[in-house]
Amino acid sequence: MTVDRQILYLLEEFKIPIVDPHCPEDWKDWYHYILYDPVSNIRLLYNLCFNGRPGTGYVTDTFFLTVPKGFVRHRLSDLSEMETYGFARNMDWNKENLVVQPLRFETDDILFSICDDNTRLSVANPQSHTSFNLQGQPFATPIYVPELAPYGNGFIGWGVVPGFKMRGKIRLGLRLIEVDESWFCYHDRNFGRFNWGNIGWSWFVLNAKDKEGRVWTYVFHRGNDNAFNKIGSPILFVYCEHKMKKVFLGEGVDIQFVWSKKEEMPPVLPGAMASVFGDRSILAPVSVSVKAADETDYVALKMIVQTHTEMIVPDSEKKQYTFIKELSGHANAIQFFDQRKSACKNGFFYAEHVH
Amino acid sequence: MPKKQDQRDKLIGMIHRMVEILRYDNTYAFDLLKNATLNKRAVIELDGYRLSLKSSQKRQGELVVDIKKARAGDEISFSTDSLTLKQIMAGAITLDYAVVMNKLYVKAPFYDLLNIYRLTITLLAEGPLNKHLRKLWREFELDWRENGAPRPIMPLEQQKPANAYLLEKIPETVLLSKTPF
């Protein structure tokens, strides 16, 4: 399919006005990638976030790699249980690191570029024995949501491409993981002005095949404040065979979390935050269910949580925190579109919620 | 192989820089440092390098930290290795885990311990955001290779002590006893 290049350009365009000498420090602009191998169940999250402006601001990159338990040391590993490796680091944002057009960010450990529809990501963290080298092109319908509505004390806009053909390699210790076009790859963008600690969201991407082999992808987003007192309107994008099929909005979408009975202490990144909040325990989502319907169509999604980690993001100006839970696991879906019902089993989901 | 004296000087230099960063960038952390150290002497050990730290106040009120090589036989108040510090900063283990597993040893009166703990947590919280602390840490992470061992590959699920809260391990009688402050 042909991807609308202008929408893609608007989505990928770097949004922080870095040439403005008065550019506020509360700007954020991030590039987010999720990769998943349906055979090995290996999943990767990478997020590159620019904060503030060059010189005084900083860049954060976050990496989670979830692999079957024992994968690092044994050829055979247990697919029923997963374990997560990762890092998160803040680095100085020097003026010469970033070229905005075409986009290129380069440091000793990171090379990230987007030129036309080619994306390249080469990232290394020798201290944590991880690196990856990926390149690819989007092929799903891009969606660009240039929202300027109030969000926390500012605003946030975003964009989604829930289908990317990525190729490359991921290294974890001595193990080399080959990424080819059979992997599912999701990409989104977020940008805006806000302080961490004032905002929150629930988000997920779900990818699964029905019995006829059709690929269904769902992307959900709902904003909230950090204390979950104010909840925004949910939005659910439905993709079939990488083309956007439908959008469910507002009252037509319902999301329910089932929580663990006992509090847990999930792994936390960045490392310093793991110690700062080392004694903090929280209820963990066990499953997430979503139902959406309108006059003609409906969907019912069920996600069983397999991994639960937490990102704790500090705000440099206000000394407050946003607590982002990262969830991943198996998913089932039932959908009724075009007078046809179909079901997907053993799909995959990746979710975040801020609570 | 760097000379022992050079390495010791490097370590002393880094501690002095940390004190100066706190002095100018974080009043709260600097006050904690002052409360925990003023007019006291402590011996710390990192990767076998023992340093004696003594802090005092000048007439103008300025805090001065004097650091020199510790004498043989001095009692150690704090001991760890760079690998443990690097693991804590990377999130491979938490500070609590390091204490529980005896990878980090600390001994001081309870009041000082509380201040040291608060100061450490403040440094950890501030570290990724403060440009100067970030630079200092980066130098330590890349240049300080005293014990040579690379960080082991560990899944994040192992970052916290398996027995959860340290607090739960303190006997109730101790928790309920009255403290002098």
Side-chain angles (χ1 to χ4, degrees), chain A residues 185-196:
Chain A
C185 176
Y186 164 93
H187 167 48
D188 73 28
R189 294 269 289 114
N190 280 268
F191 48 86
R193 287 187 58 195
F194 53 87
N195 289 105
W196 295 114

Side-chain angles (χ1 to χ4, degrees), chain B residues 29-41:
Chain B
F30 192 68
D31 285 346
L32 287 173
L33 178 75
K34 212 167 168 178
N35 289 340
T37 62
L38 188 59
N39 298 326
K40 288 173 194 150
R41 193 173 155 270

Side-chain angles (χ1 to χ4, degrees), chain A residues 84 92 129 268 275 279 281, chain B residues 95 134 151 156-157 159 165:
Chain A
T84 299
D92 291 349
H129 312 274
V268 170
S275 286
D279 59 349
S281 59
Chain B
L95 181 65
R134 210 161 51 219
R151 278 203 338 247
L156 293 171
E157 284 81 0
Q159 75 179 188
Y165 291 120

